[in-house]
Amino acid sequence: GSFSVDAMPAQGMKVANLDDLKMATMILPGAKQPVVVSVASGNTNTSSSMDYTISVERLDGTDTALRVLEMPGATISPVFSPDRTKYLVHIPADIDRLEIKFVPWDDGQNF
């Protein structure tokens, strides 16, 4: 996958390394990539600048956490939390089929 950073400086300032930010950056699964945004005064008489570092992390697809867990028609207890892995599910006697809906934490996960 890849990512890019759009930077908008405050009024009277400029992004000093804007050309470095215009291209997409490749990042491998499980990798972290720092991106430095240099902000300088828009005043040509001043040479002061400040660097901001953004750390981008791409998950590796092996995470098994879930963002969402739903079982329409059934009741899960306790209430869903991404940190919890064990639940009690109450399925009414009149339900013949239970659909389990979930959204993985990492979009790269395969099930």
Side-chain angles (χ1 to χ4, degrees):
S2 65
F3 70 94
S4 60
V5 175
D6 291 329
M8 176 71 75
Q11 186 173 357
M13 305 298 283
K14 67 179 180 179
V15 177
N17 63 337
L18 188 59
D19 288 339
D20 295 340
L21 302 176
K22 287 185 178 179
M23 63 182 72
T25 302
M26 297 298 294
I27 186 168
L28 296 172
K32 291 182 181 179
Q33 177 73 42
V35 177
V36 176
V37 178
S38 296
V39 179
S41 172
N43 182 346
T44 56
N45 297 330
T46 306
S47 63
S48 65
S49 67
M50 182 172 276
D51 289 347
Y52 296 89
T53 301
I54 301 166
S55 182
V56 178
E57 180 178 2
R58 180 177 174 192
L59 299 178
D60 65 4
T62 61
D63 191 342
T64 58
L66 300 178
R67 288 186 192 274
V68 176
L69 175 64
E70 298 174 349
M71 297 179 207
T75 305
I76 65 170
S77 179
V79 173
F80 173 74
S81 169
D83 299 326
R84 180 174 283 283
T85 59
K86 294 183 180 182
Y87 296 91
L88 177 63
V89 180
H90 178 263
I91 305 169
D94 62 341
I95 292 185
D96 294 330
R97 181 174 179 239
L98 179 64
E99 181 179 5
I100 301 173
K101 297 179 180 181
F102 62 92
V103 176
W105 192 263
D106 178 0
D107 291 335
Q109 286 173 255
N110 293 313
F111 290 93

